[in-house]
Every structure is written in structure tokens, then in C-alpha cells.
Amino acid sequence: MGLPALEFSDCYLDSPQFRERLKSHELELDKTNKFIKELIKDGKALIQALKNLSTAQRKFAESLNEFKFQCIGDAETDDEMCIAKSLQEFAGVLQNLEDERTRMIDNANDVLITPLERFRKEQIGAAKEAKKKYDKETEKYCGVLEKHLSLSAKKKESHLHEADSQVDNVRQHFYEVSLEYVFKVQEVQERKMFEFVEPLLAFLQGLFTYYHHGYELAKDFNHFKTDLTISIQNTRNRFESTRSEVESLMKKMKENPHEHKSISPHTMEGYLFILEKRSFVSTWVKYYCTYQREPKRLTMVLFDQKSGGKIGEEENFILKSCTRRKTDSIEKRFCFDVEAVDRPGVMITMQALSEEDRRLWMEAMDGREPVYNLNQDSQNEAMAQLDVIGFNVIKKYIYAVETRGIDEQGLYRIVGVSSRVQKLLSLTMDPKTFADVELDSSEWEIKTITSAIKHYLRMLPAPLMTYQYQRSFIKAAKLDNPEARVAEIHSIVHRLPEKNRQMLELLIKHLANVASHHQQNLMTVANLGVVFGPTLLRPQEETVAAIMDIKFQNIVVEILIENHDMIFKDSPAPGAGQSSQQLNLPRRKSTESKAPSCSERPLTLFRTPTHLEKDRAAVDKRNSVVLNSSSETQSTSLNCNSTHNWSKPNNLGSSDGDQDGVLVARQNRPKALPNPKGRGSISTSPATPSPTSPRSPSWPMFSAPSSPQQASCTSSESSPLSPLSRKARALYACKAEHDSELSFIAGTIFENVHPSREPGWLEGTLDGRTGLIPENYVEFV
């Protein structure tokens, strides 16, 4: 059943049946209004989906257009060319289709969404406004009518006529509004038949136009589609016909690979494992090597299939000799040694993949069997001697370092390229080419020259400070009394062979010069000790005890650098260094209560190496850590007529690769700082400041009895425990654990600082409060 017709005559009766019929029309308009709202919402969603689809189709077309087929071989068949350009053809069709879709989407708003919204707002909205007016007039008419009917008949005739006239006017207005509302409702019901459906038809027409465009494209594409189908079938047929032949060839390769090797421009090529020394351990690294017999050139490329095929830098050298490695001389199998022309005396150990592979490599390189009585160590030793050549070479190196790179950061820690170091040594150690080497040229990096100095010292038949006195130096570094240490080391140095002592003096004076520039190069005395300790004092026999003494080797080098003027100036008095009782110790009392100097504290702890002599080259890499922060530099002028540059100990960072970490130990409370029960503990992470710290008090330098001028220096200004009240600055933070102590942070300034009755503590004032201050953690200002 359709909606009942609304008669205008029924507006005057306003019967219940009329109201029911009118209500059914109102419900239909509400239903239509809601439907149009949902349709507009769905239409917008459809348009957005079409936009997203178009974007995805265009992206897909762009991907097809960017891909290019690469066929095997240097030429392509017609079928292969047709297939190769097919993706671009597909992309063109899709792009053309999406252009039409974009036009359809752009028109969709105009032909669908806008007309529907206009019909809903203008027509249905107008009907709703008419209903509101009709309901308002209905309520007004009913109210006036009820009021009029309640008038008394006893009223004056004129008053009653006036009331009747007013009611007639309201009734007439109500009838007019009712007629207008009924007219509008029926008008909207009739309009929706065409104003609602026509936009939908226009939208469908746009869809049909789009699909027709696709049909036309398909017709135009049909010719290429036919050709492509034929090309694909032809290519498939050729593949099926040749697949059996390829499979047969593969089986032949599996059964006898040597008969089907490809022709190579190289005499021999393949993978080899090469022995490299890294951070105290020997590592076998995989290289792909090629060898050409005519120029005798061996090329190596670092490559490992397991790591994703990352290719390293290419290295090559001219082969001098190839020797099979004796089986009982190495744990690995299939090994052989090669020697390069530009690296004389340096054997590179390689491991082939099998015994047959080693035989082929040795045949290609004209290899020979090993001579069992040759000793590689003796060959290396023969290269470096404490002779005129050696002194001239070291002097030349030192001059180059001091004139070109004294301020270079990480000096002696950064390791040079091994091949460059070997080449520099071979050129400078040869009297024929010594004068031709120009170290001021950019060809030779500073790290190459410093590495050559260290390598020369390791190539000596015995360490520079000799095996004979190695234990004596270690014992001297372990003495409790700092002055006794200096005196004992002074004595031992002058017992060294003359050439050893001269070379040591040359080197130590150079290192002292390097340390004086530590603010720029970051190489403090302690850092230089870490670098040169294991080189100058390596033990003759590798034991656990020798490994644990490495830190004392470093301290010996530190003492030599700090006291080089006194140690190398003259010989010690007879019997000096034999007993600390024989030393002139004018400041024995005050020094017992101050912080230990670098000559009495083992600051650095090393990771324990597995080989001391075999892996000595790896020490350089471990020592190549560049400090994270530069140390401050101050100069403290002593009243003993000597000025020293002092540097604060640094925390050493660690890095991977050529630079292995060096751990700086955190010291406990200094020996001079008593720790009675109830006393506060020092909450500092830095090591105890040494006498070489820029923030240390003006401690005097110690000397052997053979230096009377320094030993006689007794000025009170050179002692941290001055009897006068002075200001002092905190070097580190301290947390008090006793009421009598002061808590402070680094940089705090104390007033009225003077010695306290308790040894190792000072008394000072901070913010109006007087308390105890650890003596070794302040400096006077």
C-alpha cells in the first residue's frame, strides 16, 4: 500500500483520520531523510575508497614501470625483448585506466553528493520547518478556542462579537498554515521520485563511462596481449628443451669438477685463511686470493660468505718466496708461509682448504720445502741491533715525531698499518736506502713512525732494559719508599750496558718531551708507561707471575720519565739504592702522610694476555685507546729550583678493532689517609692524585743522595702541610661519616686550613663550620 492522499478539505475538519494520514507522510519523510544521510555517508566512503584504490593502482603501475628485466647473455631474442617491455606496457594501461578513474572521482561529488545534500536540506528541511509552524499554529488555535468557549454568555454583546471575530481570524490563519503544510509534504513526496534518483543515475553513468573506457583499452591492448602470450609460450618451450641439458652438465660438474673448471686469467685463485694477530690472540681471517705468476703478484680481498658477503679492501704485494709450513711447527693443517718483497723477514702464514689445494697453490707460486734449521726469531733479531744504524734510525724517527706530530692525539697509542711499518723499517734499516727516506713527507704518517719505533725495540735480541735486570727493576718499583724507588732505579740504569743506557736515555728524554705536550696529545706519563712498559721490560720467560708484574713495568717507565734529568745526569754514588737507610730523606715525615706518587702506586690493570713475546705486536693495538677526555695542564714551580709539568690521571676508554681497552683501577683510601673506625670514607671514583697531577699540592721531587741540591731543599712552601693557615680547594668529593668531618664536592674552597692533630687530616672552615678534611684530596691556593 502506498501513502494515502491528503485532501485540502480535510484541513478544515482536522479529523483524527486526517492527522493519522498526515503522520504517515511525516514518518516517510523522516525515513527518507535518514536514508539520504546514510547514502551520502556511504557515497563519500565509496569515493575515498576509489581514491585509495587509484593511489594503490598507480603505485603498482610505477613499480612495474621501474623494474627492468636482465636476461642472461649479451643479446636478447625477440621474445625476450617482448617480455622485457611487457611490464612497461602493463604500467601504461593501468596509468591510462587510473586517469579515467580520477576524472570519475572528481565528478562524483558534483553529480552525487552535492545534489543529495541540496535535496535533503532544501526540500526535506523546508517540510520540517512547515511542520514546526503547523504544530505551533495548532497549539495557538486550540488555546484561543478553549478560552473563547469559556466566556460567559452574560458578557456584553460587543465584547462577545469582538471575541468571535478574534477566534475567526486565528481559525482562518490556522487553516492557511495547514493547507501550506499539506501542500509542502505532498510536494516533497513527489519531488523525491526524480530529485533523489537523478543524482544516482548520473553517478552510475560515470561508472559506466569508466568501465567503457577500460573496455576500449582492453581492445587496444589485445594485439600486444596476443604477441606477449606467444612470446611467453615460446620462452617456456625453450626453457623446457634446454633444462635437461643444463641438468646433465650440473651432474658432470658434481662427478668431476676439475675437468670442467672455467678458464681464469689468474694462475691460481681461491679462498685462503691468513693468520693475523689481534689483541693478544691469533686469528685466522678468510680472504679470497688471486695469484699471477708473471709479475708474481698476490692479491687478497677480505671476504666471508657467512657475514652477508661484505667485501673488504683489496691488498696486494709482490711475492718473494713461498715455503711449505712444517706440520709439527703449527697446530693447523695445510699451511704454508709466503714472504713479500717489500716486507723482508716477515712471513705471512696461510692455510689452504685441503692438501690438494695447498699443492696447487705452492705449484703456482713455485714453493719450496722448509729448511728446518732456520729460526725466524733469529732472523728478526738480526734486523735490529744497538749499533750505529739503530741509533741513527731511532734519532731520525724521534726527530720526525717531535717536529711533525708531537701534538697529535693518541701519539704512540694509535697503531700504524703493519705493511707500512714493515716497509719503513726495511728502508731505514738498510744503509743503502736510509738517506733516501724523507720522514717529513706526507707519505709517512706519524702513527707509522711511532709504530716503527716500538717495533724496532721489540725486534732487539733482548729488551732494551735487558733480561738480566728485569727482575731488579720490578723489585725497585715494589719498594714502599718512593725515594728509595727512584734511587734504586737510578742505580740499576747505570749498571746497564753502555749502548742500552744510551738508547734508553735517548728514548726516555723523547717520551718526557711527549708527556710535556699531554694537553694536546693526551699522552700523560701514565699513558706512556702503559705503552712502553711491556716493550722495554718484557720477561725472558712467560709465567703467571710475569703477567701480574706488567703494572710494575709501567711504573718503572713512569719513574724514568718523571725523573729523567736526575737519573741520566750522572752515576749514583757507590752503594746507592742498596738500602733506603742510606738515602738522604729530609722530608720523610711529611711524605709519609701525603698521597702516593705515580712511582709508588699501580694505577693501571691490564687484561691478562695469553702470550707475552709471541703476541707482543698485539700490545700496540691494546694500547691504541685514545683517551675520552683531555687532561688539564698546570705547572707548579717548586722552591727546589725545578719546574715540572704535572698531569692528572685519565680514565681510559675502550674501543673495538685495533684499539683494545685498558682498565683504570679505582684505588682505595690512600696509604697516607688513615681510616679509623667511624671515620668517613672518601667517595671518589678517580684514582688518588699523583704528584704529577695538576691539582696536586706542591710536593717536592725526590732524589738520590747523588743530587744534593734537590735533597737539601727544605722550604716549607713545598710541603702540603704548611704551618700557616691558608685557603685550599677540594680536588674530589667526600662524604662525611663522622660529626667531626666535613662533606664537600670537588671545587669547594676551605678557609683557615691548617694541619690537625690527627695524621693525614687537615682542619678547615666551610660555611662557618670547622671540621676535618682529608689531606690528600685538597690543594692549597
Side-chain angles (χ1 to χ4, degrees):
M1 289 291 293
L3 294 172
L6 298 175
E7 295 295 338
F8 290 122
S9 58
D10 291 338
C11 295
Y12 293 92
L13 294 176
D14 197 21
S15 64
Q17 293 78 12
F18 169 76
R19 288 281 179 170
E20 284 296 324
R21 291 193 296 271
L22 185 59
K23 186 176 182 179
S24 65
H25 281 265
E26 291 173 348
L27 292 175
E28 178 62 20
L29 287 179
D30 287 338
K31 181 180 177 181
T32 302
N33 184 51
K34 291 181 180 179
F35 178 71
I36 292 176
K37 286 178 67 175
E38 288 295 323
L39 191 63
I40 291 173
K41 180 181 177 181
D42 293 339
K44 289 181 177 180
L46 174 59
I47 292 173
Q48 185 60 44
L50 290 174
K51 288 181 179 179
N52 294 338
L53 175 60
S54 180
T55 301
Q57 291 267 52
R58 289 184 183 277
K59 182 67 175 66
F60 179 71
E62 289 174 3
S63 299
L64 291 177
N65 192 48
E66 290 173 0
F67 185 80
K68 307 293 183 184
F69 275 109
Q70 296 294 332
C71 298
I72 299 176
D74 56 356
E76 297 177 348
T77 64
D78 293 339
D79 293 328
E80 289 173 338
M81 286 189 287
C82 181
I83 293 174
K85 73 174 184 179
S86 63
L87 298 186
Q88 285 70 42
E89 289 290 334
F90 296 161
V93 171
L94 292 176
Q95 292 282 9
N96 196 328
L97 196 61
E98 290 311 310
D99 291 340
E100 183 62 30
R101 192 200 303 271
T102 301
R103 284 190 288 270
M104 179 194 68
I105 293 172
D106 293 338
N107 293 331
N109 270 320
D110 297 332
V111 301
L112 177 63
I113 304 300
T114 302
L116 289 178
E117 286 182 340
R118 183 169 58 246
F119 174 77
R120 190 180 69 84
K121 292 179 181 179
E122 294 179 3
Q123 300 301 323
I124 298 179
K128 286 185 176 182
E129 290 297 325
K131 182 181 184 304
K132 291 179 182 179
K133 186 176 181 181
Y134 174 73
D135 291 338
K136 183 178 180 181
E137 288 299 322
T138 300
E139 184 177 355
K140 180 180 179 181
Y141 169 70
C142 293
V144 170
L145 183 62
E146 289 174 359
K147 184 178 179 181
H148 178 71
L149 294 176
S150 63
L151 289 175
S152 173
K154 297 179 180 180
K155 293 283 185 179
K156 292 181 180 181
E157 192 68 18
S158 60
H159 186 71
L160 292 175
H161 281 297
E162 183 180 353
D164 291 339
S165 177
Q166 183 180 1
V167 170
D168 291 338
N169 291 333
V170 172
R171 182 186 295 113
Q172 184 62 33
H173 186 66
F174 167 72
Y175 289 155
E176 291 174 0
V177 171
S178 178
L179 289 171
E180 291 174 1
Y181 177 57
V182 169
F183 174 80
K184 190 63 180 177
V185 168
Q186 293 192 117
E187 180 188 24
V188 172
Q189 294 289 11
E190 293 298 321
R191 276 181 174 273
K192 75 178 183 180
M193 302 301 292
F194 56 91
E195 289 196 5
F196 173 61
V197 177
E198 191 177 37
L200 295 174
L201 178 61
F203 177 72
L204 288 176
Q205 182 61 37
L207 281 177
F208 294 149
T209 303
Y210 165 75
Y211 290 131
H212 181 74
H213 183 73
Y215 171 75
E216 294 294 332
L217 283 177
K219 287 175 60 178
D220 295 338
F221 186 73
N222 191 55
H223 178 70
F224 178 78
K225 183 182 70 173
T226 303
D227 293 342
L228 180 61
T229 303
I230 296 173
S231 297
I232 291 174
Q233 188 60 42
N234 292 340
T235 304
R236 179 181 285 109
N237 293 338
R238 282 195 296 269
F239 167 76
E240 294 295 337
S241 64
T242 57
R243 184 176 185 276
S244 59
E245 296 180 10
V246 175
E247 188 174 7
S248 175
L249 178 60
M250 179 186 68
K251 290 180 179 179
K252 292 179 181 178
M253 289 291 295
K254 287 182 177 179
E255 293 171 358
N256 198 344
H258 297 291
E259 291 183 2
H260 298 84
K261 283 188 175 180
S262 61
I263 300 176
S264 172
H266 306 292
T267 307
M268 186 65 184
E269 63 180 327
Y271 285 100
L272 290 172
F273 287 82
I274 298 178
L275 180 62
E276 295 183 357
K277 294 181 179 180
R278 298 180 178 178
S279 303
F280 296 100
V281 294
S282 298
T283 306
W284 292 89
V285 183
K286 193 174 186 179
Y287 285 80
Y288 189 82
C289 303
T290 59
Y291 178 73
Q292 290 181 311
R293 177 173 291 173
E294 184 58 32
K296 288 191 174 184
R297 182 180 299 279
L298 181 64
T299 303
M300 306 185 302
V301 178
L302 181 64
F303 185 83
D304 190 355
Q305 303 96 319
K306 293 186 298 183
S307 61
K310 184 178 181 181
I311 301 178
E313 295 183 359
E314 182 177 288
E315 301 180 35
N316 59 76
F317 57 86
I318 302 300
L319 185 70
K320 181 179 181 181
S321 65
C322 172
T323 308
R324 182 179 67 82
R325 189 67 179 262
K326 189 178 178 183
T327 305
D328 56 2
S329 66
I330 193 170
E331 295 180 356
K332 298 286 186 178
R333 305 164 63 197
F334 321 133
C335 295
F336 59 96
D337 293 335
V338 298
E339 184 180 9
V341 172
D342 58 346
R343 308 176 197 175
V346 179
M347 306 302 291
I348 303 173
T349 301
M350 299 182 173
Q351 182 185 25
L353 304 183
S354 64
E355 184 62 36
E356 177 64 15
D357 193 38
R358 178 171 68 172
R359 183 185 64 81
L360 293 175
W361 277 103
M362 292 191 63
E363 286 181 359
M365 296 180 178
D366 299 323
R368 62 178 185 271
E369 290 297 311
V371 180
Y372 302 112
N373 59 351
L374 289 181
N375 189 327
Q376 185 65 37
D377 293 336
S378 64
Q379 293 177 2
N380 287 338
E381 291 172 1
M383 291 184 62
Q385 297 291 337
L386 292 176
D387 52 11
V388 176
I389 295 177
F391 274 87
N392 290 338
V393 168
I394 294 300
K395 289 179 181 178
K396 186 169 187 173
Y397 290 164
I398 289 175
Y399 178 79
V401 172
E402 293 186 347
T403 55
R404 286 182 54 201
I406 194 72
D407 293 333
E408 188 166 315
Q409 289 190 1
L411 195 66
Y412 285 106
R413 278 193 181 275
I414 305 298
V415 182
V417 179
S418 178
S419 59
R420 301 290 299 163
V421 174
Q422 293 288 347
K423 183 176 181 180
L424 176 61
L425 280 169
S426 63
L427 291 174
T428 52
M429 296 296 289
D430 188 350
K432 298 178 181 179
T433 58
F434 172 81
D436 298 333
V437 179
E438 297 181 0
L439 295 182
D440 56 350
S441 170
S442 59
E443 176 186 3
W444 304 109
E445 296 180 285
I446 292 298
K447 64 180 182 181
T448 303
I449 301 173
T450 55
S451 295
I453 293 176
K454 293 182 290 183
H455 194 72
Y456 168 85
L457 296 172
R458 286 194 293 268
M459 289 166 56
L460 293 172
L464 188 61
M465 298 173 74
T466 72
Y467 292 129
Q468 177 184 357
Y469 294 109
Q470 194 263 352
R471 294 304 306 166
S472 300
F473 280 114
I474 297 299
K475 289 180 180 179
K478 293 180 178 180
L479 293 177
D480 292 334
N481 189 289
E483 296 166 333
R485 294 180 191 175
V486 178
E488 182 65 19
I489 290 175
H490 184 193
S491 175
I492 300 171
V493 165
H494 286 273
R495 295 203 297 268
L496 291 172
E498 183 65 20
K499 289 184 177 180
N500 292 63
R501 188 184 60 78
Q502 292 176 357
M503 180 63 77
L504 182 63
E505 180 179 2
L506 178 66
L507 177 66
I508 295 299
K509 288 184 177 180
H510 165 62
L511 296 182
N513 189 19
V514 171
S516 67
H517 292 76
H518 67 272
Q519 189 173 9
Q520 292 79 28
N521 58 36
L522 307 182
M523 295 304 294
T524 61
V525 173
N527 298 333
L528 292 171
V530 171
V531 174
F532 283 92
T535 299
L536 300 179
L537 276 172
R538 66 179 185 269
Q540 189 169 10
E541 183 180 0
E542 181 183 355
T543 63
V544 175
I547 294 173
M548 298 306 296
D549 284 340
I550 289 179
K551 53 183 174 289
F552 295 105
Q553 298 173 7
N554 304 341
I555 292 175
V556 171
V557 176
E558 292 179 32
I559 294 174
L560 289 173
I561 296 174
E562 291 172 341
N563 303 276
H564 68 280
D565 287 337
M566 183 271 292
I567 291 177
F568 294 102
K569 184 176 182 181
D570 49 24
S571 300
Q578 302 302 320
S579 172
S580 61
Q581 302 297 329
Q582 300 173 357
L583 296 175
N584 183 13
L585 307 177
R587 303 197 185 279
R588 181 64 172 270
K589 184 175 181 180
S590 64
T591 56
E592 288 177 353
S593 62
K594 67 183 179 182
S597 69
C598 71
S599 58
E600 66 179 313
R601 48 91 175 109
L603 274 182
T604 53
L605 298 179
F606 291 79
R607 294 194 180 104
T608 304
T610 57
H611 301 282
L612 285 179
E613 293 193 44
K614 295 180 180 180
D615 293 341
R616 185 63 60 186
V619 175
D620 281 349
K621 296 185 178 180
R622 180 176 65 82
N623 289 340
S624 63
V625 181
V626 181
L627 300 181
N628 293 333
S629 61
S630 62
S631 57
E632 301 178 5
T633 303
Q634 292 185 3
S635 297
T636 304
S637 177
L638 302 179
N639 294 329
C640 299
N641 297 327
S642 62
T643 303
H644 303 274
N645 292 329
W646 306 36
S647 60
K648 182 177 179 180
N650 292 277
N651 290 334
L652 302 179
S654 64
S655 61
D656 297 325
D658 287 342
Q659 299 179 353
D660 197 4
V662 180
L663 305 180
V664 176
R666 174 179 176 175
Q667 279 194 306
N668 297 326
R669 182 183 296 272
K671 296 179 182 178
L673 188 61
N675 190 19
K677 186 176 181 181
R679 280 286 173 223
S681 59
I682 306 304
S683 58
T684 59
S685 59
T688 303
S690 71
T692 55
S693 169
R695 300 186 181 276
S696 301
S698 303
W699 288 312
M701 296 293 292
F702 305 116
S703 61
S706 58
S707 303
Q709 182 178 358
Q710 294 182 3
S712 63
C713 178
T714 58
S715 173
S716 62
E717 291 298 319
S718 62
S719 172
L721 299 179
S722 173
L724 301 177
S725 295
R726 304 166 61 185
K727 289 185 179 181
R729 179 189 296 110
L731 298 175
Y732 307 108
C734 178
K735 181 179 180 181
E737 294 185 1
H738 194 276
D739 293 340
S740 62
E741 299 176 8
L742 295 177
S743 295
F744 51 87
I745 62 174
T748 301
I749 301 296
F750 303 97
E751 302 286 344
N752 301 323
V753 180
H754 57 275
S756 70
R757 295 181 179 180
E758 185 170 356
W761 296 79
L762 301 175
E763 193 170 289
T765 303
L766 176 62
D767 296 334
R769 179 173 173 246
T770 301
L772 294 178
I773 309 165
E775 174 188 344
N776 297 316
Y777 288 82
V778 299
E779 65 174 353
F780 287 100
V781 295

Short mmCIF file of all heavy atoms in Angstrom, two decimals, residues 376-399:
data_model
loop_
_atom_site.label_atom_id
_atom_site.label_comp_id
_atom_site.label_asym_id
_atom_site.label_seq_id
_atom_site.Cartn_x
_atom_site.Cartn_y
_atom_site.Cartn_z
N GLN A 376 113.14 -18.18 12.68
CA GLN A 376 112.56 -16.89 12.31
C GLN A 376 112.89 -15.83 13.33
O GLN A 376 113.10 -14.67 13.00
CB GLN A 376 111.03 -17.05 12.20
CG GLN A 376 110.34 -15.79 11.70
CD GLN A 376 110.74 -15.45 10.29
OE1 GLN A 376 110.94 -16.32 9.46
NE2 GLN A 376 110.91 -14.18 10.03
N ASP A 377 112.91 -16.22 14.60
CA ASP A 377 113.21 -15.24 15.64
C ASP A 377 114.61 -14.66 15.46
O ASP A 377 114.83 -13.47 15.62
CB ASP A 377 113.09 -15.88 17.02
CG ASP A 377 111.65 -16.24 17.34
OD1 ASP A 377 110.75 -15.62 16.75
OD2 ASP A 377 111.45 -17.13 18.18
N SER A 378 115.56 -15.56 15.09
CA SER A 378 116.93 -15.06 14.92
C SER A 378 117.01 -14.13 13.72
O SER A 378 117.77 -13.19 13.71
CB SER A 378 117.89 -16.24 14.74
OG SER A 378 117.57 -16.96 13.56
N GLN A 379 116.16 -14.40 12.68
CA GLN A 379 116.15 -13.50 11.53
C GLN A 379 115.63 -12.13 11.93
O GLN A 379 116.16 -11.10 11.53
CB GLN A 379 115.27 -14.09 10.43
CG GLN A 379 115.84 -15.36 9.82
CD GLN A 379 114.89 -15.95 8.79
OE1 GLN A 379 113.84 -15.39 8.53
NE2 GLN A 379 115.27 -17.08 8.21
N ASN A 380 114.58 -12.13 12.74
CA ASN A 380 114.04 -10.85 13.19
C ASN A 380 115.05 -10.12 14.05
O ASN A 380 115.20 -8.91 13.97
CB ASN A 380 112.74 -11.08 13.97
CG ASN A 380 111.61 -11.47 13.05
OD1 ASN A 380 111.65 -11.20 11.86
ND2 ASN A 380 110.60 -12.13 13.60
N GLU A 381 115.71 -10.90 14.94
CA GLU A 381 116.67 -10.27 15.82
C GLU A 381 117.81 -9.64 15.04
O GLU A 381 118.33 -8.58 15.39
CB GLU A 381 117.21 -11.30 16.82
CG GLU A 381 116.15 -11.76 17.84
CD GLU A 381 116.66 -12.90 18.69
OE1 GLU A 381 117.83 -13.30 18.49
OE2 GLU A 381 115.92 -13.39 19.55
N ALA A 382 118.18 -10.32 13.94
CA ALA A 382 119.30 -9.81 13.17
C ALA A 382 118.98 -8.48 12.51
O ALA A 382 119.85 -7.73 12.13
CB ALA A 382 119.71 -10.83 12.10
N MET A 383 117.70 -8.20 12.41
CA MET A 383 117.32 -6.97 11.74
C MET A 383 117.55 -5.74 12.61
O MET A 383 117.67 -4.64 12.11
CB MET A 383 115.84 -7.03 11.33
CG MET A 383 115.55 -8.02 10.24
SD MET A 383 113.83 -7.93 9.76
CE MET A 383 113.76 -6.24 9.16
N ALA A 384 117.49 -5.89 13.95
CA ALA A 384 117.61 -4.75 14.85
C ALA A 384 118.74 -4.99 15.83
O ALA A 384 118.74 -5.99 16.55
CB ALA A 384 116.30 -4.51 15.59
N GLN A 385 119.69 -4.09 15.86
CA GLN A 385 120.81 -4.18 16.79
C GLN A 385 121.08 -2.78 17.35
O GLN A 385 120.72 -1.78 16.74
CB GLN A 385 122.07 -4.72 16.09
CG GLN A 385 121.93 -6.13 15.55
CD GLN A 385 121.84 -7.17 16.65
OE1 GLN A 385 122.28 -6.93 17.77
NE2 GLN A 385 121.28 -8.34 16.32
N LEU A 386 121.71 -2.74 18.52
CA LEU A 386 122.09 -1.46 19.11
C LEU A 386 123.43 -1.03 18.53
O LEU A 386 124.45 -0.97 19.21
CB LEU A 386 122.15 -1.59 20.64
CG LEU A 386 120.81 -1.80 21.34
CD1 LEU A 386 121.01 -2.01 22.83
CD2 LEU A 386 119.89 -0.62 21.09
N ASP A 387 123.42 -0.74 17.24
CA ASP A 387 124.62 -0.31 16.55
C ASP A 387 124.40 1.10 16.01
O ASP A 387 123.40 1.75 16.31
CB ASP A 387 124.99 -1.29 15.43
CG ASP A 387 123.81 -1.55 14.49
OD1 ASP A 387 122.79 -0.82 14.61
OD2 ASP A 387 123.90 -2.47 13.66
N VAL A 388 125.33 1.55 15.20
CA VAL A 388 125.23 2.91 14.65
C VAL A 388 123.96 3.06 13.81
O VAL A 388 123.27 4.09 13.88
CB VAL A 388 126.49 3.22 13.80
CG1 VAL A 388 126.34 4.59 13.13
CG2 VAL A 388 127.74 3.18 14.66
N ILE A 389 123.64 2.02 13.05
CA ILE A 389 122.45 2.09 12.21
C ILE A 389 121.20 2.24 13.08
O ILE A 389 120.33 3.07 12.83
CB ILE A 389 122.34 0.82 11.33
CG1 ILE A 389 123.51 0.77 10.34
CG2 ILE A 389 121.00 0.79 10.60
CD1 ILE A 389 123.53 -0.49 9.48
N GLY A 390 121.14 1.43 14.14
CA GLY A 390 119.99 1.50 15.03
C GLY A 390 119.82 2.87 15.66
O GLY A 390 118.72 3.42 15.71
N PHE A 391 120.94 3.45 16.16
CA PHE A 391 120.87 4.78 16.79
C PHE A 391 120.45 5.84 15.77
O PHE A 391 119.63 6.72 16.07
CB PHE A 391 122.23 5.14 17.41
CG PHE A 391 122.40 4.61 18.80
CD1 PHE A 391 122.89 3.33 19.02
CD2 PHE A 391 122.06 5.38 19.90
CE1 PHE A 391 123.05 2.84 20.30
CE2 PHE A 391 122.22 4.89 21.19
CZ PHE A 391 122.71 3.62 21.40
N ASN A 392 121.01 5.76 14.58
CA ASN A 392 120.65 6.75 13.56
C ASN A 392 119.18 6.65 13.17
O ASN A 392 118.50 7.66 12.97
CB ASN A 392 121.53 6.57 12.32
CG ASN A 392 122.97 6.96 12.57
OD1 ASN A 392 123.25 7.74 13.49
ND2 ASN A 392 123.89 6.44 11.78
N VAL A 393 118.69 5.40 13.08
CA VAL A 393 117.28 5.20 12.71
C VAL A 393 116.36 5.79 13.79
O VAL A 393 115.42 6.53 13.50
CB VAL A 393 116.99 3.71 12.50
CG1 VAL A 393 115.48 3.46 12.42
CG2 VAL A 393 117.66 3.22 11.22
N ILE A 394 116.63 5.47 15.06
CA ILE A 394 115.78 5.95 16.15
C ILE A 394 115.84 7.48 16.24
O ILE A 394 114.83 8.15 16.46
CB ILE A 394 116.18 5.30 17.47
CG1 ILE A 394 115.89 3.80 17.42
CG2 ILE A 394 115.43 5.93 18.63
CD1 ILE A 394 114.42 3.47 17.17
N LYS A 395 117.04 8.05 16.09
CA LYS A 395 117.16 9.51 16.13
C LYS A 395 116.35 10.15 15.01
O LYS A 395 115.71 11.18 15.20
CB LYS A 395 118.63 9.92 16.02
CG LYS A 395 119.45 9.62 17.27
CD LYS A 395 120.90 10.02 17.08
CE LYS A 395 121.73 9.69 18.34
NZ LYS A 395 123.16 10.05 18.13
N LYS A 396 116.40 9.52 13.85
CA LYS A 396 115.65 10.05 12.71
C LYS A 396 114.14 9.98 12.97
O LYS A 396 113.40 10.92 12.69
CB LYS A 396 116.01 9.26 11.44
CG LYS A 396 115.40 9.82 10.16
CD LYS A 396 116.02 9.17 8.94
CE LYS A 396 115.54 9.85 7.66
NZ LYS A 396 116.26 9.35 6.46
N TYR A 397 113.71 8.85 13.54
CA TYR A 397 112.29 8.70 13.87
C TYR A 397 111.86 9.74 14.91
O TYR A 397 110.82 10.39 14.78
CB TYR A 397 112.01 7.30 14.42
CG TYR A 397 112.12 6.18 13.41
CD1 TYR A 397 112.23 4.84 13.81
CD2 TYR A 397 112.09 6.43 12.05
CE1 TYR A 397 112.31 3.81 12.90
CE2 TYR A 397 112.18 5.40 11.12
CZ TYR A 397 112.29 4.09 11.55
OH TYR A 397 112.36 3.08 10.65
N ILE A 398 112.66 9.87 15.95
CA ILE A 398 112.30 10.80 17.05
C ILE A 398 112.24 12.23 16.53
O ILE A 398 111.32 13.00 16.89
CB ILE A 398 113.30 10.66 18.20
CG1 ILE A 398 113.11 9.31 18.92
CG2 ILE A 398 113.16 11.82 19.20
CD1 ILE A 398 114.13 9.04 20.00
N TYR A 399 113.19 12.60 15.70
CA TYR A 399 113.19 13.97 15.15
C TYR A 399 111.91 14.21 14.34
O TYR A 399 111.29 15.28 14.43
CB TYR A 399 114.44 14.18 14.28
CG TYR A 399 114.49 15.55 13.64
CD1 TYR A 399 114.90 16.66 14.37
CD2 TYR A 399 114.11 15.73 12.30
CE1 TYR A 399 114.93 17.93 13.78
CE2 TYR A 399 114.14 16.98 11.71
CZ TYR A 399 114.56 18.08 12.45
OH TYR A 399 114.57 19.32 11.89
#
